């Protein structure tokens, strides 16, 4: 009975958040008028009023709690990488531009929501106790492990998309530079003609250059935020070409040809491995059936003979 009351309370709390969340997106006109008459706009943070009640109130409160917990935990050793830094690196590899506190907050909300919904459904269905505990345990494991696995999968897919799109984007960059465009203008032209993970990374480089960062620093940041070796090589070649005064167009053409050759070799390697990988399903599913069909009648005759 107590579990049912707790589950209904949590469900009601979630429904209230879903209902009142969109209402928090409206601007506070009263504070805006007060700030206008007092000519003191520094007292009001109008940017926060654009978010929902969920982002303005609950999120910052949860982040304060996480910061307090982090402050009370022992500091990491020198040379080691903290968990927050690992999560931040994984978020960048996945192409998600959110901070670690926001990710932890969403992960916690997802965990609580999944466990609560599972608990409510089990109370409604009234299954056997052991089965209910097993389902609840599976839901708890999925709620804890699921977000991390999903984030790693997103990072893997994002980096794979960059690797696949790299040769075509480099060819288009080379054509734009041959047409007389500068490197920055070529980035914008490529972003207009193509779309994808690598194009998003190029747009980030372009915006950083427009904000005042040097081209070398922006490209180095791009290389540090990826695990694609081909992209790291491409960025290193661009930086070296800029330092030595080598035409960037020649570097891009050479890199594109090497990437396509590497892709062909990888395709051949996967094709050669496929025959070996096919042995496992053949041994499990095909060979036993063949043995039964061939040896089955013989075994039956031997049994009948005895």
């Amino acid at each position: 009975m107590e579990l049912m009351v707790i589950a209904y309370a949590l469900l009601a709390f979630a429904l209230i958040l879903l209902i009142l969340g969109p209402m928090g997106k409206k601007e506070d006109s009263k504070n805006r008028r007060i700030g206008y008459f007092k000519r003191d706009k520094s007292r009001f943070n109008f940017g926060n009023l654009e978010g929902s009640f969920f982002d303005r109130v609950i999120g910052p409160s949860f982040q304060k709690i996480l910061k307090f917990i982090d402050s009370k935990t022992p500091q990491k050793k020198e040379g080691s990488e903290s968990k927050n830094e690992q999560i931040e690196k994984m978020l960048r590899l996945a192409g998600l531009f959110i901070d670690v506190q926001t990710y932890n907050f969403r992960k916690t909300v997802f965990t609580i929501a999944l466990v609560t919904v599972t608990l409510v459904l089990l109370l409604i269905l009234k299954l056997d106790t052991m089965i209910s505990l097993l389902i609840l345990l599976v839901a708890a494991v999925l709620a804890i492990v699921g977000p991390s696995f999903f984030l790693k999968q997103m990072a893997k897919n994002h980096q794979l998309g960059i690797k696949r799109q790299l040769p075509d984007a480099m060819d288009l960059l080379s054509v734009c530079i041959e047409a007389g465009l500068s490197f920055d203008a070529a980035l914008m032209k490529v972003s207009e003609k193509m779309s994808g993970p690598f194009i998003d990374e190029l747009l980030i480089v372009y915006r950083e250059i427009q904000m005042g960062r040097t081209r070398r620093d922006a490209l180095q940041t791009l290389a540090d935020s990826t695990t694609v070796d081909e992209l790291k090589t491409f960025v290193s070649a661009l930086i070296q070409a800029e330092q030595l005064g080598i035409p960037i167009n020649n570097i891009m053409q050479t890199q594109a040809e090497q990437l396509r050759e590497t892709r062909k070799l990888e395709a051949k390697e996967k094709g050669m491995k496929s025959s070996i990988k096919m042995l496992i399903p053949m041994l499990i599913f095909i060979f036993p059936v063949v043995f039964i069909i061939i040896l089955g009648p013989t075994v039956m005759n031997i049994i009948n003979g005895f």
Side-chain angles (χ1 to χ4, degrees), residues 55-87:
D55 295 331
R56 291 186 294 113
V57 179
I58 300 177
S61 301
F62 187 79
Q63 291 178 8
K64 290 180 181 179
I65 296 174
L66 291 178
K67 290 180 180 180
F68 176 77
I69 295 174
D70 292 337
S71 63
K72 297 300 181 181
T73 55
Q75 299 293 328
K76 66 172 184 176
K77 297 181 180 180
E78 294 183 359
S80 62
E81 191 176 23
S82 65
K83 185 177 180 180
N84 288 340
E85 291 178 351
Q86 294 177 358
I87 295 175

Side-chain angles (χ1 to χ4, degrees), residues 14-55:
L15 290 175
I16 292 173
L17 288 181
L18 291 175
I19 294 172
L20 296 181
M23 297 175 62
K25 295 181 180 179
K26 297 181 180 179
E27 295 181 352
D28 191 351
S29 59
K30 181 179 178 180
N31 288 339
R32 186 181 292 274
R33 288 196 299 268
I34 293 175
Y36 175 77
F37 288 118
K38 290 186 176 181
R39 301 293 183 180
D40 188 8
K41 296 183 180 179
S42 61
R43 296 174 55 189
F44 306 100
N45 189 1
F46 296 105
N48 293 335
L49 299 177
E50 296 177 357
S52 63
F53 177 79
F54 188 82
D55 295 331

